[in-house]
Amino acid sequence: NRCASELIDNNIAVLRRDVNVAVRRNRGAWLKNNEVADHSDEDSSKYRVKRRKNARHALGAILLSSVVILSLSVAFYVGVVKRRRKSISGAAPVPGDTNLLRKVPDNESDIAALANSELEVADIVSVRGKRNIAEIVPTRDWRHCIDHPPSPKDGVSVEFKIEPLWLPAYPTSLPNAGYAEFLSTLTGVPKAAKSYYRSSPTLKRCHNPHTDNKVQAVTCEIVHPIVPCQRPHPSKQADRFGSKVVVGLRNPLTAFSAVQQMKAEAYHGQKGQVEKEQWEEFRDQYVGTTSDSHLLNEWKNFIVEWRDMKPYSVDTYMPWEYWIDDFKGPALAKRFALALKEEGFPVLYDGTEVECLWHRYIYEPLVAENKKLTEEGWYDPEYTTVQLELIASELEKFGEEIKEKLRSQDEENGRRPGDEHLIAILYDYASTVRDLIHKK
């Protein structure tokens, strides 16, 4: 802005100087002509013609200068002022302005608008790491959260009973390091995050049958595939759960190796990372090289099952990659908080306080875990080029299928809530895989 202003000021000064010179020159010529006219009547008509000609030149110079100044002013307004107003108002970022792509909304109206705009493909900060815990590179200053963390707040009572929300999450797609503590602190509800499969005398399907508490849980985590285990299907339990669903996702690129690691630790007592040969054997058997890939189909079916399940609707997709990004993470945390608030759950914090809760309970533990794995020398689970091409093409194909449903007029099997967001996630996942292919 300063450079543009200086340029215009300089041009205006030059133009003023030229106009003044022209005016002085023509004024001198006018006086001289008058003098000559007094001494020679017979040449008066000649001097009058010359005088009019000089006056026209001066007027032309003034008009030309005015046009140039007006053009420069319009260019400055369109190129600088209007663009700046547009970016400040939250409109589409100016290409090349990476700071605007990092814009995080600060109020509830901005957050509400995220449903259809905030997580578009062009505005996604992708996580390019390949480890089970992707490489985390902090790019924002979080000292205000560290030096002045949000003060603890007491829980608040609610007037009516609020049923928990289903949280279907593909294995390893939730930041388990701190998600439960984040949710309890955010809402003031003890043990706000529950598991559908955990059972005890005081806990059954995320409910306590021996209490009349109006809020017994905020989210009820369930994994895929849905295992009945003498339990009714979620679609048959709508009276005991909220109508909105929050879905946890993770890019197959890191999800499959993380699932193998998780199962090895849980069922086989694995200490440290599984051997590289074990990963390659698992990868080739369950990912394969064809479209009938067991793991890819399972991953896709998990999303389709919950997307299509009625009487529920997906309110928010929560990609694992967003939780570990220090721009997308805070935005997702505030979006999640807003969704809970709209459902009637108590939400004790807002704005930057929610960001600081995310930083403390989710981001910092993930950074610490990533550092630990790096220091221990964990390898990057890799895929063959053929497998990467398979994953990318299947993700793109899935995105096209959802886009077709968006265009469909079929009310029964067409558009569903959250589809635009899901499409953006799928294409971003595919783009991440394509990047790896190009680097090979």
Side-chain angles (χ1 to χ4, degrees):
N1 291 355
R2 185 168 59 252
C3 291
S5 299
E6 290 176 357
L7 177 61
I8 289 176
D9 291 342
N10 291 337
N11 285 328
I12 290 173
V14 171
L15 291 169
R16 283 177 176 170
R17 182 196 64 194
D18 293 343
V19 170
N20 291 334
V21 169
V23 170
R24 286 197 300 270
R25 183 180 299 159
N26 283 284
R27 184 180 180 188
W30 181 78
L31 292 173
K32 183 177 180 181
N33 290 341
N34 281 343
E35 244 183 78
V36 173
D38 291 339
H39 294 291
S40 179
D41 291 335
E42 63 180 0
D43 294 332
S44 61
S45 60
K46 177 181 177 182
Y47 289 119
R48 280 197 297 272
V49 171
K50 187 174 181 180
R51 187 168 65 246
R52 285 196 296 270
K53 184 178 180 180
N54 290 335
R56 283 197 299 269
H57 288 168
L59 180 60
I62 293 172
L63 291 175
L64 178 61
S65 301
S66 301
V67 170
V68 172
I69 292 172
L70 179 61
S71 300
L72 288 171
S73 300
V74 171
F76 175 77
Y77 175 79
V78 173
V80 179
V81 177
K82 193 172 182 181
R83 182 176 67 175
R84 180 167 178 79
R85 286 180 181 174
K86 187 176 182 182
S87 65
I88 292 173
S89 66
V94 179
D97 192 343
T98 55
N99 289 327
L100 296 181
L101 293 179
R102 297 288 196 172
K103 183 176 182 292
V104 177
D106 295 320
N107 55 61
E108 289 191 2
S109 62
D110 285 345
I111 302 170
L114 295 178
N116 294 321
S117 64
E118 187 255 359
L119 299 173
E120 293 295 332
V121 176
D123 193 22
I124 288 177
V125 182
S126 299
V127 179
R128 304 301 182 191
K130 295 180 289 182
R131 290 190 173 86
N132 288 331
I133 301 297
E135 183 178 359
I136 303 173
V137 181
T139 55
R140 294 178 63 185
D141 187 353
W142 293 99
R143 282 177 293 183
H144 64 286
C145 291
I146 298 171
D147 297 339
H148 305 286
S151 303
K153 297 183 180 181
D154 296 330
V156 297
S157 60
V158 296
E159 187 175 354
F160 303 101
K161 186 172 184 179
I162 306 173
E163 299 293 357
L165 304 182
W166 286 113
L167 173 53
Y170 191 83
T172 74
S173 63
L174 282 182
N176 289 325
Y179 169 75
E181 196 167 1
F182 164 79
L183 191 60
S184 290
T185 305
L186 177 67
T187 61
V189 177
K191 298 181 179 179
K194 288 185 169 61
S195 169
Y196 182 69
Y197 303 106
R198 195 163 293 170
S199 181
S200 71
T202 58
L203 181 63
K204 185 177 182 181
R205 303 173 196 168
C206 297
H207 291 80
N208 184 343
H210 305 295
T211 181
D212 294 327
N213 290 345
K214 292 183 173 61
V215 182
Q216 298 188 15
V218 177
T219 61
C220 182
E221 182 184 353
I222 186 171
V223 299
H224 179 85
I226 295 174
V227 182
C229 296
Q230 298 181 346
R231 305 177 181 95
H233 191 271
S235 61
K236 305 297 183 183
Q237 302 184 60
D239 59 327
R240 294 176 59 79
F241 291 89
S243 61
K244 291 184 178 180
V245 174
V246 183
V247 179
L249 300 178
R250 184 168 183 170
N251 194 327
L253 192 65
T254 61
F256 297 158
S257 58
V259 169
Q260 184 205 20
Q261 181 69 35
M262 177 198 70
K263 290 184 175 181
E265 294 175 359
Y267 304 129
H268 304 289
Q270 175 72 31
K271 302 296 183 182
Q273 191 177 21
V274 298
E275 295 295 330
K276 192 171 185 178
E277 292 75 14
Q278 290 178 278
W279 155 245
E280 292 174 349
E281 181 181 352
F282 174 87
R283 173 199 70 189
D284 295 341
Q285 180 178 355
Y286 295 105
V287 177
T289 57
T290 62
S291 59
D292 63 349
S293 166
H294 172 77
L295 282 178
L296 281 173
N297 287 333
E298 181 184 77
W299 186 89
K300 176 183 175 181
N301 291 338
F302 154 72
I303 298 172
V304 171
E305 182 170 25
W306 283 98
R307 174 194 174 274
D308 296 344
M309 192 183 298
K310 297 178 181 179
Y312 306 109
S313 62
V314 176
D315 179 86
T316 304
Y317 287 98
M318 300 197 300
W320 182 83
E321 293 76 15
Y322 290 8
W323 287 117
I324 60 174
D325 183 280
D326 64 352
F327 281 89
K328 289 297 172 186
L332 179 59
K334 291 195 286 188
R335 177 176 179 163
F336 182 36
L338 181 62
L340 298 179
K341 193 171 185 178
E342 290 176 344
E343 285 296 290
F345 289 101
V347 176
L348 308 182
Y349 301 87
D350 57 19
T352 57
E353 289 182 321
V354 176
E355 294 184 359
C356 290
L357 293 181
W358 162 86
H359 186 267
R360 176 180 179 182
Y361 294 113
I362 294 179
Y363 187 73
E364 286 186 344
L366 286 174
V367 170
E369 185 176 358
N370 180 68
K371 181 180 179 182
K372 177 176 177 291
L373 298 183
T374 302
E375 291 174 347
E376 292 177 358
W378 282 40
Y379 64 85
D380 295 334
E382 296 181 342
Y383 294 85
T384 66
T385 303
V386 173
Q387 289 170 334
L388 289 174
E389 183 62 42
L390 170 66
I391 294 172
S393 61
E394 288 298 310
L395 288 168
E396 291 162 348
K397 180 181 176 182
F398 188 15
E400 287 299 317
E401 291 174 4
I402 303 298
K403 284 176 69 175
E404 284 299 318
K405 291 181 180 291
L406 279 177
R407 303 186 188 102
S408 172
Q409 301 299 319
D410 186 348
E411 295 184 1
E412 184 67 22
N413 301 306
R415 175 191 294 266
R416 294 285 289 162
D419 277 353
E420 291 88 351
H421 186 194
L422 175 59
I423 291 169
I425 294 170
L426 293 173
Y427 284 139
D428 183 63
Y429 281 176
S431 176
T432 303
V433 180
R434 293 280 179 205
D435 284 351
L436 285 182
I437 296 175
H438 295 152
K439 291 177 182 178
K440 276 187 170 286

